[in-house]
């Protein structure tokens, strides 16, 4: 996907890169779209598990939100992750996953740790103004906007500046008490 810079790749391209025979490919997948969905789901599950572990290790809900934001910003600011996101958000991948279970899985795996933190923050009194479902989506949207700015260069912020910006809005909206 990186080599083709988001343009259509063929099964032959995939076989060449993977060093596999046609027979080996079709033993596991019916189409290149199946490979792309599988790759997307695997990456979503891997990053989702990483995100959950990092958030759960935070000492309190406010810090957990900051960890979640910083990990998400890593999708643009960490070179390796940014390259992966670029490949997995290409027009070809989007065409293949749009509206599928794979896309929903990716969205859910990224949102779940944040939603859990917001619910914990309400239960423990760290946050006073939380609607977990709506606020999860809103914080996710603001954070993804900062990721997009970094990827496109539309707004130039350091990772720290981007995190501070997202957290300033998020903390005010959540009613951080401590």
């Amino acid at each position: 996907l990186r080599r083709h810079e988001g343009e259509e790749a063929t099964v032959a391209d995939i076989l060449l890169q993977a060093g596999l025979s046609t027979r080996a490919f079709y033993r596991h997948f019916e189409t290149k779209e199946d490979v792309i969905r599988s790759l997307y789901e695997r990456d979503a599950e891997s990053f989702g598990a990483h995100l959950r572990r990092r958030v759960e290790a935070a000492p309190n809900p406010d810090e957990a939100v900051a960890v979640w934001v910083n990990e998400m910003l890593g999708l643009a600011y960490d070179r390796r992750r940014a390259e992966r996101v670029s490949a997995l958000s290409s027009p070809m991948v989007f065409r293949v996953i749009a509206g599928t279970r794979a896309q929903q899985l990716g969205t859910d795996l990224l949102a779940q740790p944040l939603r859990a933190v917001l619910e914990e923050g309400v239960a423990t009194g760290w946050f006073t103004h939380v609607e977990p479902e709506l606020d999860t989506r809103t914080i996710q949207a603001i954070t993804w906007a900062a990721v997009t700015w970094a990827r496109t260069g539309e707004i130039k912020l350091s990772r720290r500046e981007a995190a501070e910006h997202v957290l300033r809005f998020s903390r005010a909206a959540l009613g951080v008490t401590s």
Side-chain angles (χ1 to χ4, degrees):
L1 293 171
R2 279 192 296 266
R3 189 167 357 124
H4 283 269
E5 298 178 353
E7 298 303 317
E8 291 292 322
T10 65
V11 171
D13 295 326
I14 294 168
L15 295 175
L16 179 65
Q17 182 66 32
L20 293 174
S21 67
T22 304
R23 171 180 263 165
F25 177 87
Y26 287 110
R27 197 173 312 142
H28 299 283
F29 302 102
E30 290 184 27
T31 66
K32 72 178 180 187
E33 287 79 9
D34 292 339
V35 171
I36 291 168
R37 277 188 292 276
S38 179
L39 181 64
Y40 188 89
E41 287 177 11
R42 187 194 72 193
D43 273 29
E45 289 168 354
S46 175
F47 186 66
H50 166 79
L51 190 58
R52 188 182 69 252
R53 283 189 305 273
R54 295 278 295 137
V55 166
E56 288 173 354
N60 61 60
D62 183 46
E63 286 299 315
V65 170
V67 166
W68 187 90
V69 167
N70 274 294
E71 288 295 327
M72 291 296 292
L73 289 173
L75 297 174
Y77 288 93
D78 296 341
R79 186 186 58 77
R80 193 180 108 261
R81 284 188 182 155
E83 288 174 358
R84 195 87 174 160
V85 167
S86 182
L88 290 173
S89 60
S90 69
M92 180 181 73
V93 173
F94 184 75
R95 177 186 58 76
V96 170
I97 66 152
T100 67
R101 184 186 82 75
Q103 184 181 34
Q104 190 60 52
L105 176 70
T107 301
D108 291 347
L109 288 170
L110 299 182
Q112 187 281 329
L114 179 60
R115 186 178 304 108
V117 166
L118 297 184
E119 290 168 352
E120 177 190 353
V122 169
T124 59
W126 275 86
F127 306 141
T128 59
H129 310 309
V130 176
E131 295 179 39
E133 183 60 33
L134 184 59
D135 293 345
T136 296
R137 290 174 182 249
T138 303
I139 294 168
Q140 195 170 21
I142 294 168
T143 305
W144 196 251
V147 167
T148 301
W149 299 336
R151 290 183 61 222
T152 64
E154 177 185 352
I155 297 175
K156 297 196 184 310
L157 298 172
S158 69
R159 183 178 184 161
R160 182 172 177 233
E161 291 168 331
E164 288 172 355
H165 180 70
V166 170
L167 290 169
R168 180 171 53 89
F169 274 88
S170 301
R171 286 177 171 141
L174 297 173
V176 174
T177 60
S178 297

